[in-house]
Amino acid sequence: MSTPTRSTPVRPTPGRPVLRIRGVHKSYGPTEVLHGVDLTGRAGEVLAVVGANGAGKSTLIKILAGAERMSAGELQLDGEDVALRSPHDAHTHGIRTVHQELTLVPELSVTENLLMGHFPRRLGGLIDWKAAHRRARDLLDGIGYGAIDPRVKAGRLTVARQQMVEIAKALVSEGGEPKVLVLDEPSAVLAGSDLEALFALIRRLQERGVLIIYVSHRLAEVTELATSIVVIKDGRVVAETTPDRTDENELIRLMAGRPAGQL
């Protein structure tokens, strides 16, 4: 699937630092997979993280999601040290992660997946399904995914539409809009208008000051969307750059350690 052709985007100027990670190490037994990773993300920034398979991207994502604990290092949000001991901790601190693997309950409707645990209720405690479907519809409309019927079971949607519901779920869950939204290969199953909708949503979130950490192997997307790019190789950050200072061939060279023509 190819990236839709668009004119060169106007990239918002990133604001204050929102996320800082310093000297992050992660070991599994005697094997160290992250070797002192440093990373800074700012409000309104699309920070792309790229690297070959096995570079350490997935481990870093799991640490940010609270699914794994770092072995050493520090993490700050809005200038304050935080400890992410669980996904609930990450969620509470405003870090939401949309993993490549789908987590929707296929036998439940889109509304149920979006509002699980937070349904509007009638007197007596019964769920107000009419209000629930209306709220789900408003949420989907508000982020540009209005083509999705909230009454349909999630398992009946295409994989692309399920991915869009996953993103919507991360944005509308309890606690309000995230400070940091981590997207792990979000476009792997998207194309055409669905991909356009994702890009438009990312631009709107940028304007509202959300830090987007965009992990992708699609380098054409990275150079189009990102305001800054971090390249990880063998568990280390080997380069920090911007789209106007690099291109796909240079990113491949940095990721692989040799020119693209030799691969």
Side-chain angles (χ1 to χ4, degrees), residues 33 38 72 76 89 92 100 115 131 133 149 154 160 214 237 251:
V33 295
D38 294 338
Q76 292 185 338
D89 282 349
T92 299
Q100 192 172 0
L115 303 183
H133 290 311
D149 184 350
Y214 194 90
V237 172
L251 291 175

Side-chain angles (χ1 to χ4, degrees), residues 145-156:
Y145 292 168
I148 298 173
D149 184 350
R151 298 173 182 268
V152 170
K153 286 185 178 181
R156 294 182 57 191

Side-chain angles (χ1 to χ4, degrees), residues 47 60 81 108 118 133 136 141 153 167-168 187 241 254 257 262:
L47 174 59
L60 182 61
D81 292 337
L108 297 182
H118 307 286
H133 290 311
D141 284 342
K153 286 185 178 181
I167 295 169
S187 65
T241 186
L254 291 167
Q262 296 180 12

